[in-house]
């Protein structure tokens, strides 16, 4: 694995790889580091769709608002490097802030008000998606991948990136990978390290509530507001959780739907103490295997999840 910290070195390395063999497909996995099995499942998905796998580790200050966890966001460059190498990443891009933003940006990629980036996460974190799109645009220009892999856990991020790729005629194909979960269903997240044992136990109510919606939909309940209320009640039953939002929404527009159908999203952001956790399920696509306490180990869950990723043709 090549570890690289500047855009110039990255371009040189990729040009060499593209010259070395014709038709090389580059698959790109952007992350903020503090890697876990969820991130590594994206590497597995990338490997399915590309010959060269590039991963970036960059905690992007532009997507954090004032008072958010930018300074305490977990960072583990040495552990990440070892995990990325073991997972088969070919090229690890680890720029520092001065490298990607040598000056205050004069241009940002800002989503149109009123559209897909506005609701839910966008409403709670003003400017967040402009920060995400700006760094994704920069990284895509640097890496120029054929394929970029994102996690379904952050479903609104997927929709906003998809909108940018479509509206700006980007040639990169999007691969969306399913969520890797702990045995009790909690989605793996770099932020889970913030949870003390009490908060961690409370957080298990999140997958339980989503699972209840998944089962209700499978049993014929299709009213969006009813499914959302079911999840809200499940969260409320566990003390100490505060839902910023629970939405039953269209996967492309993120508009709430009256009638849910196969492919409709149930997405939420929940605060457990000072930790904010996001999760999403897709109705009609089982997220929890045969039950919440499935016994597979992390690597098995990772393989199972990666096998279900899908490329969106563009
Ligand atoms: P982050 O480092 O949190 O910005 O995440 C980098 C990428 O990993 C994003 O596309 C996330 O959606 C994805 N991701 C995060 N957690 C998981 C998970 N548990 N399973 C699969 N993908 C994930």
């Amino acid at each position: 694995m090549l570890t690289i910290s500047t855009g110039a070195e990255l371009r040189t390395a990729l040009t060499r790889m593209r010259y070395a063999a014709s038709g090389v497909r580059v698959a790109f996995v952007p992350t903020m580091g503090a890697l876990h099995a969820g991130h590594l499942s994206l590497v597995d998905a990338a490997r399915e769709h590309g010959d060269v796998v590039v991963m970036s580790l960059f905690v992007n200050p532009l997507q954090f608002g004032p008072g958010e966890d930018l300074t305490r966001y977990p960072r583990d460059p040495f552990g990440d490097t070892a995990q990325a190498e073991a997972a088969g990443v070919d090229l690890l891009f680890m720029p520092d802030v001065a490298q990607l933003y040598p000056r205050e940006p004069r241009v940002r990629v800002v989503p149109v008000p009123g559209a897909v980036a506005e609701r839910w996460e966008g409403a709670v974190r003003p400017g967040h998606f402009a920060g995400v799109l700006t760094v994704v645009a920069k990284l895509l220009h640097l890496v120029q991948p054929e394929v970029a892999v994102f996690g379904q856990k952050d479903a609104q991020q997927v929709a906003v990136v998809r909108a940018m790729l479509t509206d700006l005629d980007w040639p990169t194909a999007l691969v969306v990978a399913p969520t890797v979960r702990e045995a009790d269903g909690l989605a793996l997240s770099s932020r889970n390290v913030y949870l003390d044992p009490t908060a961690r136990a409370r957080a298990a109510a999140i997958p339980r509530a989503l699972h209840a919606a998944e089962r209700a939909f499978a049993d014929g309940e299709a009213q969006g507001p009813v499914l959302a209320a079911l999840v809200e009640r499940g969260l409320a039953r566990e003390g100490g959780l505060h839902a910023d939002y629970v939405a039953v929404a269209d996967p492309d527009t993120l508009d709430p739907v009256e009638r849910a159908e196969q492919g409709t999203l149930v997405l939420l952001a929940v605060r457990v103490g000072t930790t904010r956790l996001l999760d999403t399920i897709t109705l009609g696509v089982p997220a929890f295997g045969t039950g919440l306490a499935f016994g597979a180990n992390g690597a098995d869950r990772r393989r199972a999840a990666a096998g279900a990723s899908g490329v969106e043709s563009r």
Side-chain angles (χ1 to χ4, degrees):
M1 184 176 79
L2 265 180
T3 301
I4 278 178
S5 59
T6 71
E9 287 171 287
L10 179 68
R11 283 224 161 99
T12 307
L14 284 165
T15 305
R16 282 214 185 99
M17 286 173 174
R18 288 191 187 277
Y19 266 115
S22 66
V24 166
R25 287 176 63 78
V26 175
F28 175 47
V29 180
T31 80
M32 297 206 297
L35 297 182
H36 51 65
H39 295 115
L40 304 181
S41 77
L42 304 192
V43 174
D44 295 343
R47 177 61 64 201
E48 275 176 43
H49 296 283
D51 312 300
V52 171
V53 176
V54 180
M55 173 183 265
S56 62
L57 305 184
F58 181 64
V59 182
N60 173 34
L62 235 53
Q63 70 191 67
F64 288 77
E68 292 185 359
D69 59 345
L70 173 61
T71 49
R72 69 173 186 135
Y73 194 82
R75 288 165 167 87
D76 180 17
F78 294 111
D80 286 352
T81 306
Q83 288 203 67
E85 175 141 43
V89 169
D90 298 299
L91 217 156
L92 185 64
F93 181 46
M94 302 171 70
D96 62 15
V97 173
Q99 173 57 224
L100 274 202
Y101 301 117
R103 66 177 80 81
E104 184 64 25
R106 293 161 298 180
V107 172
R108 292 186 188 208
V109 182
V110 181
V112 169
V116 54
E118 192 88 328
R119 294 179 191 276
W120 322 126
E121 210 47 21
V124 180
R125 304 181 69 188
H128 170 67
F129 284 122
V132 169
L133 289 184
T134 302
V135 81
V136 170
K138 285 172 69 75
L139 291 168
L140 290 180
H141 280 133
L142 286 165
V143 178
Q144 303 196 10
E146 274 68 23
V147 168
V149 188
F150 288 84
Q152 175 69 354
K153 180 171 86 70
D154 302 291
Q156 190 171 13
Q157 172 169 276
V158 166
V160 172
V161 168
R162 182 192 290 123
M164 177 177 80
L165 297 178
T166 306
D167 289 7
L168 300 183
D169 301 308
W170 224 291
T172 310
L174 188 64
V175 166
V176 182
T179 303
V180 177
R181 299 176 177 282
E182 301 281 4
D184 65 358
L186 183 69
L188 298 193
S189 163
S190 304
R191 290 187 166 101
N192 289 356
V193 300
Y194 297 151
L195 301 170
D196 64 27
T198 310
R200 175 62 186 82
R202 288 182 170 150
I206 298 171
R208 277 203 302 276
L210 288 170
H211 195 212
E214 179 180 293
R215 280 193 318 250
F217 178 75
D219 291 344
E221 178 57 71
Q223 293 186 67
V226 172
L227 292 167
L230 186 68
V231 176
E232 278 162 6
R233 275 202 307 281
L235 296 172
R237 220 173 285 135
E238 177 75 48
L241 300 183
H242 175 90
D244 279 345
Y245 56 83
V246 174
V248 178
D250 179 273
D252 283 318
T253 64
L254 268 298
D255 290 339
V257 299
E258 278 303 311
R259 281 200 75 72
E261 51 191 50
Q262 165 98 15
T264 297
L265 304 177
V266 183
L267 64 155
L268 51 73
V270 172
R271 279 183 274 139
V272 191
T274 53
T275 305
R276 235 175 135 259
L277 301 175
L278 305 194
D279 204 345
T280 305
I281 60 167
T282 303
L283 293 174
V285 181
F288 301 103
T290 51
L292 282 189
F294 37 86
N297 63 29
D300 289 343
R301 286 199 296 279
R302 200 182 120 196
R303 272 195 295 278
S309 69
V311 65
E312 298 182 6
S313 57
R314 306 187 44 72

